[in-house]
Amino acid sequence: MKAWIGSWRFALRMARRQVPRSKARNALIVAMLALPVFGTVGVETLIHSAVDLTTPEQVTRSVGGFDAYIRASVDTPVDQSADGQQWESQPGTLKGTAGVDSTGVLSVLPSAALTPEQIAGPVYLDGAGGYAQGTYLQVDLGNPDTAGAFDVVSGRLPRTGQEIGLTPAMAADLGAAVGGRITLVGSSASDGTAATFTVVGLLELPDSTMAESAFALPAAPAAKHEVTAGWFVSNPGGVSWTQVQALNSLGHVVISRSVALSPPPTSQIPYEAHQFVFLRSGVPLELPQFAVPAAISGIAIGIGLLEVVLLAGPGFAVSARRREREYAMLGAAGADGGQVRRVVLADGIVLGAIAGVVGVGLGIGAAAAALPFGAHFSGRIPGALRIDVPHAVGVAVLAVLLGLCSALIPARGASRREIMATLSGRRTVVGRRRRRSAGVCGGLILAAAGLIGVYFGETISPGQAQLLITSGVALIEIGAILCTPAIVAGIASFGRWLPLGPRLALRDSARHSGRTTPAVAAMFAAVAGAVAAGAWLESSAAQQRAQYTPRLLPNQIAVHTDAADAPRILSALRQQLPDITGSVTLEPVAGYGQSSDEPIQWSAGLFTPGSTPGCAVNGVQKVLVDSDGMGICGDYLDPTAYEGELIGDGQLLRQVTGFEDAAADQVLAEGGIVVTTPGIVKDGTVGLVVQHDVAAAHATYATQTTEVYTLPAVYLNMQGKPDPSFVISPAAARKTGLDAPTAGQTALVVDLRQTATPQQIVRADEAMDGLHLNGDFEQDQGVIEARSTVNLIVLGFTVLLALAAAAIATGLALADGRADQQTLTAVGGSPWTRRWLAGSTALVITGMGVLIGVPIGFVVAAGLVRVSDFNLVGMNVYLQAMPFTVPWLNLVAMAAAVPVATAVGAMLLSRSNSPDRKLRLD
């Protein structure tokens, strides 16, 4: 044991002394090993500091310097967590009527001083840059205790009713700065009169830095529909848990500083007890659903760490080859194979330890530097910098393990070298062909198993399918790595038909497969990752576009208002929107959107003729009054456009959906119905079940009447068009009773020559307000895609990784191939020939990486697409399957741009002169 410890001590001492002797190569290895440490520590520290706030930090953001913040009543008793961040409504009624205003608060806290927070939104504001829409808050910002809940970015707080503060986002939209003027437009003011303010400061909400809000004093003009959001509370002795519970019974959610900082026992918090009962009440916990994402993340992290080992491995391989004479001298002096292995492994330990320290330091430094910018991405101001020391130490140890793993294969090779062959300068390779064959067999077996997992995972449950497919992707990658030496050797056999530079590069790559294989594997892993990520993002975007259902046609606006006001609103709109080309007033079927306290409730459902609609049919019965409205009968209809299913003819169908269909026109003319639900029309007919409840006020039971009709029908696929669920003809609506008066709103749809601007919408809103008419405008925003930015980030990262892999491999190959360069010099090779050799080496490595990585990337992408489809099945979401889409940008970047860039870079950056002009023949 003592000899073993002494052997390791000697090996570590040699490794420590070797570090400064090969600074460039060792720095490269340290950089590779430090990369995961840097990323892990940096991201963890950033998240820990920016997202996981301490309780005092979160309380200060919620209540400022006050003792508590009490939200306005939610009209039902509530149970809440100790910090007030989570709560749930409870059955029952409020104790008295005190919960609807501050009277109830003062009944519990008679000595408290309340600072109300009034809120209205959305409101329109007008500035130098045009109109903007946001939230209007009125609160006594002159109270110093508001600091912390409202932070001043620049300028100062408002002091009079004519001054206002804006969030940076709102100021940017309005084109306003400190000292500028903005206007609360008349249609958004409570008295209908526009109010002008001077901007005196930029303020932000710590937990919502991207919010578009304006902050005014209570003395400022009020906005329309302004309500009390809550009260900041100053109370002698704070607000106790008993008082919090008393306020909960009045429907108030309370954030109390004293309770949050010193919470009561869990047994005294009903909200926590409810959560405990829920988890222990026999509800099955789908443990695989929790375990599968963790397993998938573990596989992804494992592949990432394998990538690091592949990048660092060639460095140790070259180092071992450059020091092979030194290892041979150790063997000649009596060292056995185990001792030589320990010397090489010690390099991995020492360099891994250095990488751990460097990575932790750089990660913490990068997190500290990035922390002030966290609000731009997270939407909230980060907390103080906090370092999880045990985790940081653990990740640093990971670098040592990675270094040890990276040095394993070179250590094994160095211990098996023949001493005399090494000292005489001869290089012997034993069993290379046998090892290559074994690697190919093992790689093919793993790849085959991975393909089976990817393409046959649908025979099991969705959760297990995710794990199986992701594991299959990992097996394919590992199998490809095992097959890489054979692929490199096979490609090198074509070198005889190539020019001198590529021929030498191919032969050198095949001869030094221990150096080339990890580099090519790292390269193809980066290429496969870029192609797979791009394909999945593009496929996801294609799915999003395919299944998107617009609420309106292009260049349409809708105004939701009362039916009687629709003509006057249309007249007002024509004065403000001169580009109106047409309009239609839509009446939804009876009962849709009515509140549950209406005396008559209607519902309609579709079903295939001959099937059971799922409820009692053609009968009258007594039913309990449902507080949520009527039950669903037949196929549930969820209209995406307007206010419900529509009554009209073919012309209305064209105006609403833009769909022209002769069969649909004929069915509507014959008193039928047009449906947009597939699979329910049979022999040109569909079943329609109509159900209505009649109940007296506050009655326990309602009289429910259910009738079933068979109507002529035609199905239309509304993909990409507004979908009203069905359009029923006026004759059929009269027959079924669906033309009864409805309490729902009317949708006035207006066609424009071009999209309405915010300024036009504000002017139209003001015109309606001048007529004392109420209406909510709506425009379809279209598909909002964020995948382009994400794809560019992923592509940029993988391109950098691929360039780094190619640069490392090229540099090591050139450093390891000095003898070849000396031979070129001896036979009269020009500087251009040596540069051409460097470029060819880079092109060979990147080219082989692309050749292997692109197909694997497509296989991985196919697996990701299948995992996404299984997720939909697991969530019982009826969505279209994700179409596989080729990511041309990623493909061109990785298959063409990266190889060309690395080849040109190697040619330009390599030395034109020989590393040693004196030819050495020994």
Side-chain angles (χ1 to χ4, degrees):
M1 184 66 181
K2 185 176 181 181
W4 184 83
I5 295 176
S7 177
W8 269 110
R9 186 181 299 136
F10 170 74
L12 291 172
R13 186 165 61 248
M14 285 192 64
R16 179 180 59 81
R17 292 177 177 177
Q18 184 268 340
V19 170
R21 295 176 182 173
S22 303
K23 298 183 180 65
R25 186 171 61 249
N26 289 333
L28 201 60
I29 296 173
V30 167
M32 289 297 100
L33 297 177
L35 183 60
V37 179
F38 164 76
T40 303
V41 173
V43 171
E44 183 181 33
T45 303
L46 192 60
I47 293 177
H48 195 52
S49 304
V51 178
D52 299 332
L53 302 178
T54 63
T55 301
E57 288 175 337
Q58 188 59 60
V59 169
T60 299
R61 296 179 178 208
S62 301
V63 305
F66 293 96
D67 295 312
Y69 180 81
I70 301 176
R71 297 175 185 170
S73 174
V74 297
D75 297 328
T76 63
V78 298
D79 283 338
Q80 68 166 74
S81 60
D83 59 4
Q85 299 300 320
Q86 294 89 30
W87 58 274
E88 60 184 7
S89 298
Q90 296 299 315
T93 58
L94 299 177
K95 294 182 179 180
T97 59
V100 298
D101 57 22
S102 61
T103 306
V105 176
L106 293 175
S107 67
V108 178
L109 304 172
S111 302
L114 304 183
T115 300
E117 182 184 36
Q118 303 289 123
I119 187 169
V123 301
Y124 280 106
L125 297 171
D126 185 16
Y131 290 94
Q133 198 175 32
T135 305
Y136 182 79
L137 292 93
Q138 286 185 275
V139 65
D140 183 11
L141 296 172
N143 190 324
D145 286 336
T146 58
F150 306 92
D151 290 342
V152 178
V153 178
S154 63
R156 60 174 176 83
L157 295 170
R159 296 172 183 168
T160 67
Q162 290 73 44
E163 297 178 341
I164 198 169
L166 302 175
T167 60
M170 176 65 85
D173 287 347
L174 290 171
V178 175
R181 306 276 287 179
I182 66 165
T183 301
L184 175 67
V185 300
S187 62
S188 296
S190 61
D191 58 1
T193 303
T196 301
F197 299 89
T198 300
V199 180
V200 296
L202 298 183
L203 284 68
E204 63 184 3
L205 302 171
D207 278 340
S208 185
T209 59
M210 307 301 292
E212 299 194 358
S213 304
F215 307 94
L217 296 180
K224 185 186 294 184
H225 308 307
E226 193 169 286
V227 297
T228 300
W231 301 268
F232 292 99
V233 180
S234 296
N235 190 57
V239 179
S240 67
W241 178 242
T242 302
Q243 293 168 325
V244 168
Q245 290 183 300
L247 291 167
N248 289 164
S249 68
L250 300 176
H252 297 293
V253 179
V254 184
I255 303 175
S256 169
R257 181 185 300 277
S258 59
V259 172
L261 297 180
S262 300
T266 303
S267 59
Q268 298 181 17
I269 304 176
Y271 176 85
E272 301 293 344
H274 292 165
Q275 305 306 305
F276 177 78
V277 170
F278 174 76
L279 294 176
R280 295 293 300 274
S281 61
V283 178
L285 294 179
E286 297 292 341
L287 293 180
Q289 294 184 4
F290 295 97
V292 167
I296 293 174
S297 300
I299 293 173
I301 293 172
I303 293 176
L305 296 179
L306 178 62
E307 180 87 355
V308 173
V309 172
L310 291 174
L311 287 173
F316 285 105
V318 171
S319 178
R321 189 173 297 117
R322 297 294 295 274
R323 298 174 62 192
E324 59 185 10
R325 186 178 293 269
E326 178 182 342
Y327 301 148
M329 293 296 294
L330 289 175
D336 58 16
Q339 290 172 321
V340 174
R341 271 197 305 273
R342 283 190 283 274
V343 170
V344 181
L345 292 175
D347 289 345
I349 295 175
V350 171
L351 294 179
I354 296 173
V357 175
V358 172
V360 169
L362 291 178
I364 295 174
L371 194 59
F373 303 97
H376 297 287
F377 303 98
S378 64
R380 63 188 312 198
I381 297 176
L385 181 69
R386 290 192 298 279
I387 303 170
D388 193 331
V389 176
H391 285 189
V393 173
V395 175
V397 173
L398 175 64
V400 178
L401 296 178
L402 289 176
L404 197 61
C405 293
S406 302
L408 280 176
I409 295 178
R412 182 170 178 268
S415 65
R416 299 178 64 184
R417 295 285 296 174
E418 295 183 6
I419 297 176
M420 294 305 299
T422 300
L423 292 176
S424 62
R426 292 183 289 108
R427 294 186 176 182
T428 59
V429 180
V430 180
R432 174 181 292 180
R433 188 178 299 275
R434 186 169 60 250
R435 293 197 305 270
R436 188 180 298 159
S437 300
V440 170
C441 292
L444 291 177
I445 292 173
L446 292 178
L451 288 172
I452 292 173
V454 168
Y455 289 101
F456 295 94
E458 71 272 13
T459 59
I460 56 178
S461 66
Q464 293 173 332
Q466 294 180 54
L467 181 58
L468 183 60
I469 291 175
T470 310
S471 302
V473 168
L475 291 177
I476 291 172
E477 292 240 14
I478 296 173
I481 292 174
L482 294 177
C483 294
T484 301
I487 296 174
V488 171
I491 294 176
S493 63
F494 296 97
R496 64 174 65 95
W497 294 293
L498 296 177
L500 176 63
R503 183 167 68 249
L504 290 176
L506 277 174
R507 290 180 177 177
D508 180 72
S509 299
R511 186 166 61 247
H512 301 294
S513 60
R515 181 194 68 215
T516 305
T517 297
V520 173
M523 179 67 194
F524 83 63
V527 172
V531 173
W536 185 85
L537 289 169
E538 291 296 331
S539 300
S540 177
Q543 180 192 38
Q544 185 180 5
R545 289 191 297 268
Q547 67 192 20
Y548 176 72
T549 301
R551 293 183 60 84
L552 295 167
L553 292 174
N555 300 336
Q556 276 188 344
I557 62 170
V559 183
H560 303 284
T561 185
D562 297 330
D565 294 335
R568 298 174 65 195
I569 289 178
L570 180 59
S571 176
L573 290 177
R574 290 188 182 278
Q575 297 177 11
Q576 298 297 332
L577 303 175
D579 293 334
I580 292 179
T581 59
S583 64
V584 60
T585 302
L586 306 177
E587 292 287 349
V589 299
Y592 184 85
Q594 292 187 175
S595 60
S596 60
D597 58 0
E598 291 291 329
I600 299 179
Q601 289 286 299
W602 292 77
S603 72
L606 298 173
F607 66 97
T608 303
S611 64
T612 302
C615 59
V617 297
N618 290 333
V620 180
Q621 60 179 339
K622 292 288 186 179
V623 296
L624 287 172
V625 175
D626 186 356
S627 60
D628 295 327
M630 292 178 46
I632 301 302
C633 213
D635 183 46
Y636 174 62
L637 301 175
D638 184 14
T640 56
Y642 318 117
E643 295 294 336
E645 300 85 354
L646 304 178
I647 303 173
D649 55 10
Q651 181 181 358
L652 179 136
L653 177 66
R654 285 189 293 274
Q655 288 180 286
V656 169
T657 66
F659 207 112
E660 296 189 17
D661 187 87
D665 292 345
Q666 182 178 354
V667 165
L668 291 174
E670 294 174 352
I673 185 173
V674 174
V675 301
T676 63
T677 303
I680 61 174
V681 177
K682 181 180 180 181
D683 299 328
T685 60
V686 72
L688 176 69
V689 55
V690 178
Q691 192 177 73
H692 65 272
D693 295 355
V694 180
H698 307 294
T700 303
Y701 289 91
T703 301
Q704 185 180 83
T705 303
T706 305
E707 297 185 45
V708 175
Y709 303 89
T710 300
L711 300 175
V714 65
Y715 162 72
L716 294 182
N717 184 358
M718 290 297 172
Q719 180 176 340
K721 298 181 181 296
D723 183 3
S725 284
F726 70 73
V727 178
I728 189 170
S729 64
R734 287 191 298 271
K735 175 182 176 181
T736 58
L738 294 180
D739 63 342
T742 175
Q745 285 188 319
T746 296
L748 172 63
V749 180
V750 177
D751 296 314
L752 304 173
R753 289 192 181 90
Q754 58 186 5
T755 304
T757 64
Q759 290 81 356
Q760 290 175 318
I761 296 295
V762 171
R763 288 199 300 269
D765 193 17
E766 290 179 334
M768 289 196 305
D769 190 66
L771 297 174
H772 304 289
L773 300 176
N774 294 322
D776 297 325
F777 286 95
E778 181 180 2
Q779 290 178 285
D780 187 74
Q781 301 298 320
V783 181
I784 301 175
E785 299 179 2
R787 103 280 182 197
S788 298
T789 303
V790 176
N791 189 30
L792 289 177
I793 293 174
V794 173
L795 182 59
F797 176 77
T798 50
V799 165
L800 289 177
L801 187 61
L803 291 174
I808 292 169
T810 304
L812 292 174
L814 294 177
D816 198 33
R818 291 191 175 187
D820 294 334
Q821 298 177 45
Q822 293 168 357
T823 302
L824 282 176
T825 302
V827 298
S830 66
W832 167 253
T833 303
R834 287 188 290 274
R835 290 184 183 273
W836 179 235
L837 175 60
S840 299
T841 302
L843 192 61
V844 163
I845 294 170
T846 54
M848 287 190 288
V850 167
L851 186 65
I852 305 172
V854 170
I856 293 178
F858 282 126
V859 172
V860 172
L864 293 175
V865 169
R866 295 174 71 81
V867 168
S868 300
D869 291 340
F870 284 132
N871 278 331
L872 297 182
V873 174
M875 296 185 296
N876 294 321
V877 178
Y878 297 100
L879 298 176
Q880 295 184 5
M882 183 180 291
F884 186 85
T885 307
V886 177
W888 294 109
L889 175 63
N890 300 53
L891 202 59
V892 171
M894 301 304 293
V898 169
V900 172
T902 53
V904 172
M907 292 176 65
L908 294 177
L909 298 177
S910 62
R911 295 190 303 177
S912 59
N913 58 317
S914 174
D916 189 353
R917 292 187 178 276
K918 183 182 294 183
L919 179 62
R920 296 176 56 183
L921 300 177
D922 55 348

